[in-house]
Amino acid sequence: MFLILGLATAVVILGGCSGDLDQAAFAPNVISLQPTHAPPDVAADEEVAAPREVELVSAPPEPLPPQTDPGVDAIVGEIVKSIRSRDGDAEPATRISLSRLYNQSHATSREFEALRNRLARVLNLSGRSYGMWFEVQPSASIDFELHGAAYLVTVAGRDQWELHLSLRPAGGSWTVWRADAPLRMFRQFQRGDRQLLWP
């Protein structure tokens, strides 16, 4: 009996105070989906900026082919004239070995090999348009051999390789072409130097 009276009294008290209590305190938890930062209103006369277009990243330009050296071009031109016919027929590829170029200097064999590799590289740059290929090591497919000796000299305060060169058929003993003056290459190549010095 007392329990029923206590409950009835509590209902009356709570009912009378319901206007004073914040009903939100008794409401279930509700998550608001409203944005906390609404975009600013745009006036009718203002234009909305278009979204920024994605900038296309172009591929890097292809590197330009290395420039040939005038001195090397002259030497290759002389060799071409001495071993190829003057008619307009297409010539097959010609392979020339540098294995008969010998070190006659006090430089180490490693430095001399670096010189032969550099010489082959610059000769190939000029010779590729003629179908001519210069190789450091001998092989069965060699057509000609570049014979000669390399000395170290000092000119105007700089060390240079002095090359005395002649061209012979592979395995042959006769000379097809000979440089009429020594060729020179700087021992230490610097930017702006010519690759091959030839009068």
Side-chain angles (χ1 to χ4, degrees):
M1 183 73 175
F2 291 107
L3 181 59
I4 295 174
L5 285 175
L7 287 175
T9 307
V11 169
V12 172
I13 292 172
L14 288 175
C17 299
S18 62
D20 299 332
L21 294 177
D22 185 4
Q23 293 181 0
F26 296 100
N29 292 335
V30 178
I31 299 173
S32 174
L33 299 178
Q34 296 297 326
T36 56
H37 299 288
D41 292 334
V42 179
D45 58 345
E46 292 182 16
E47 293 183 7
V48 178
R52 221 172 135 188
E53 294 183 5
V54 177
E55 296 179 4
L56 296 177
V57 179
S58 60
E62 293 187 11
L64 295 174
Q67 295 294 319
T68 59
D69 182 80
V72 182
D73 288 342
I75 288 295
V76 170
E78 290 286 320
I79 292 174
V80 168
K81 284 191 280 185
S82 66
I83 66 176
R84 293 199 171 167
S85 62
R86 295 181 183 273
D87 58 15
D89 296 341
E91 296 283 349
T94 304
R95 307 186 85 81
I96 300 173
S97 171
L98 302 181
S99 63
R100 299 288 185 166
L101 178 61
Y102 296 106
N103 183 12
Q104 300 294 331
S105 73
H106 60 275
T108 64
S109 58
R110 183 176 181 180
E111 184 180 4
F112 177 69
E113 285 305 311
L115 163 74
R116 284 204 304 185
N117 288 328
R118 181 159 58 110
L119 180 60
R121 188 167 56 250
V122 297
L123 286 169
N124 280 325
L125 281 177
S126 294
R128 63 185 174 183
S129 60
Y130 299 103
M132 300 185 75
W133 305 102
F134 294 82
E135 302 177 3
V136 174
Q137 300 301 327
S139 70
S141 61
I142 291 299
D143 301 300
F144 294 90
E145 296 170 333
L146 202 59
H147 288 245
Y151 301 88
L152 274 176
V153 297
T154 303
V155 178
R158 289 188 67 183
D159 288 347
Q160 299 178 20
W161 287 100
E162 186 175 270
L163 310 175
H164 299 262
L165 301 178
S166 63
L167 187 72
R168 299 178 190 174
S173 58
W174 64 95
T175 299
V176 176
W177 169 85
R178 182 187 306 276
D180 54 6
L183 286 66
R184 290 187 178 152
M185 298 181 74
F186 289 109
R187 186 179 188 183
Q188 300 294 330
F189 183 78
Q190 299 175 6
R191 182 181 292 274
D193 283 345
R194 292 270 300 275
Q195 290 283 0
L196 192 63
L197 306 175
W198 189 50

